Amino acid sequence: MSDEGDDIVLGELDDDELVQQMHDDLYDGLRDEIVEAVHILLDRGWQPYDVLTRALVEGMRIVGIDFRDGILFVPEVLLAANAMKAGMGILKPLLIETGAPRLGRMVIGTVKGDIHDIGKNLVSMMMEGAGFEVIDLGINNPVETYLEALEREQPDILGMSALLTTTMPYMKVVIDTLVEKGLREDYIVLVGGAPLNEEFGRAIGADAYCRDAAVAVETAKEFMARKHNQPVAAG
Ligand code: B1M
């Protein structure tokens, strides 16, 4: 995207120019430049959440549009994803509170057949930052992995992520299995991912669809408050 990139000194750009440059650098998969720019914005007093949303998430949104339109291909998008992850790696410890009382426990994973993990990682980071303990199962999780983790970790919340229209129906497989085993009422089930919507969340029997990581945090807090303040209905 940027041919003139070699001559640019990131530290000399003003905030808006730098964010614009980060969108370009993410597009071009320039990991080192993203790392440098994240540090510059933080040094200038930016909140980690603003760096995340305005520079990285927005940059990846642009990548997604050109991927959809066949302008970018998998290898390029992988480079962009790696650059994004490097930036997220710097922000993660800043977004995560330490020593705060735990609000609850969540097991989260991307469903079987799906290897997209940036959104899930972001949700994990934001949930940890808000005071939740998060057990991240990674990508491509079959129902058995979810069940084992639920039994082992005894979380309050099960989170599932899917980015493909072909993999999102698998969330229903997991929820139906919980119902069959009489376990559904033991967990708050939250789902998310770009192709989902509220209607889908309702249709598969999730407790809520979360549009983004901030909504996931708010929704998780609401459900935890309900769980603690009200008697749990007999399942
Ligand atoms: Co993929 N890919 N991809 N991809 N990829 C999409 C999803 C796609 C929409 C691109 C497009 O065409 N515009 C398209 C899906 C089309 C569809 O199904 N309708 C697509 C495709 C087709 C594919 C392949 C099939 C391409 C191919 O091989 N021909 C292939 C599938 C691989 C597989 O999974 N089996 C594939 C592969 C890849 C890469 C490996 C190259 C890479 C993934 C790298 C990685 O994740 N480590 C990749 C990427 C990066 C994308 C796009 C460009 C970006 C996804 C992303 O990270 N977004 C994506 C385009 C897009 O989504 N616009 C695309 C940023 C992230 C912060 O947002 O993940 O939506 P998101 O997460 C948000 C919310 O959705 C929500 O909160 C997050 C943070 O705010 N959320 C949750 C997500 N999970 C949640 C869980 C919760 C709560 C909220 O639980 C409580």
Side-chain angles (χ1 to χ4, degrees):
M1 197 184 218
S2 53
D3 294 334
E4 74 282 19
D6 289 348
D7 301 333
I8 292 171
V9 179
L10 296 176
E12 290 177 357
L13 301 177
D14 69 29
D15 285 7
D16 287 346
E17 290 168 342
L18 183 56
V19 167
Q20 182 57 52
Q21 187 60 42
M22 288 174 79
H23 296 166
D24 290 352
D25 288 347
L26 201 68
Y27 191 97
D28 293 335
L30 300 178
R31 187 181 185 282
D32 292 347
E33 284 76 357
I34 289 294
V35 167
E36 186 185 344
V38 167
H39 282 302
I40 293 172
L41 287 178
L42 290 173
D43 287 346
R44 290 183 186 173
W46 276 51
Q47 291 301 313
Y49 183 72
D50 290 334
V51 180
L52 184 65
T53 51
R54 289 175 56 189
L56 299 182
V57 174
E58 175 58 16
M60 190 51 93
R61 190 187 66 78
I62 298 165
V63 169
I65 293 169
D66 279 4
F67 189 29
R68 179 197 64 203
D69 295 344
I71 297 165
L72 287 179
F73 296 95
V74 169
E76 291 133 341
V77 178
L78 265 178
L79 284 176
N82 283 339
M84 170 127 185
K85 282 186 178 184
M88 282 167 61
I90 300 162
L91 299 173
K92 181 173 178 174
L94 304 174
L95 287 164
I96 293 175
E97 284 175 6
T98 48
R102 298 285 98 182
L103 286 182
R105 211 167 149 80
M106 176 174 79
V107 159
I108 188 168
T110 303
V111 297
K112 185 176 168 182
D114 202 320
I115 62 168
H116 295 86
D117 66 354
I118 294 175
K120 167 190 67 63
N121 295 347
L122 228 161
V123 172
S124 299
M125 273 166 54
M126 297 285 295
M127 290 286 289
E128 286 183 346
F132 285 85
E133 188 181 347
V134 177
I135 299 103
D136 187 342
L137 305 179
I139 54 174
N140 194 21
N141 286 289
V143 63
E144 294 79 14
T145 309
Y146 286 110
L147 290 176
E148 283 161 20
L150 292 176
E151 191 178 348
R152 187 179 64 242
E153 307 290 348
Q154 297 294 311
D156 306 287
I157 302 169
L158 168 63
M160 288 189 279
S161 180
L163 264 288
L164 300 171
T165 44
T166 49
T167 56
M168 61 191 234
Y170 196 78
M171 293 174 160
K172 183 167 179 346
V173 174
V174 177
I175 293 175
D176 285 352
T177 308
L178 291 178
V179 172
E180 276 165 30
K181 293 187 176 296
L183 297 171
R184 174 64 187 88
E185 298 308 316
D186 295 351
Y187 308 104
I188 299 158
V189 179
L190 305 182
V191 294
L196 280 62
N197 56 32
E198 265 176 42
E199 194 186 347
F200 176 80
R202 265 196 304 276
I204 63 170
D207 288 300
Y209 154 72
C210 307
R211 190 181 64 244
D212 58 30
V215 170
V217 167
E218 287 317 307
T219 310
K221 282 183 181 169
E222 276 169 31
F223 275 94
M224 288 307 294
R226 280 192 225 170
K227 182 174 171 175
H228 287 135
N229 294 338
Q230 293 174 4
V232 180

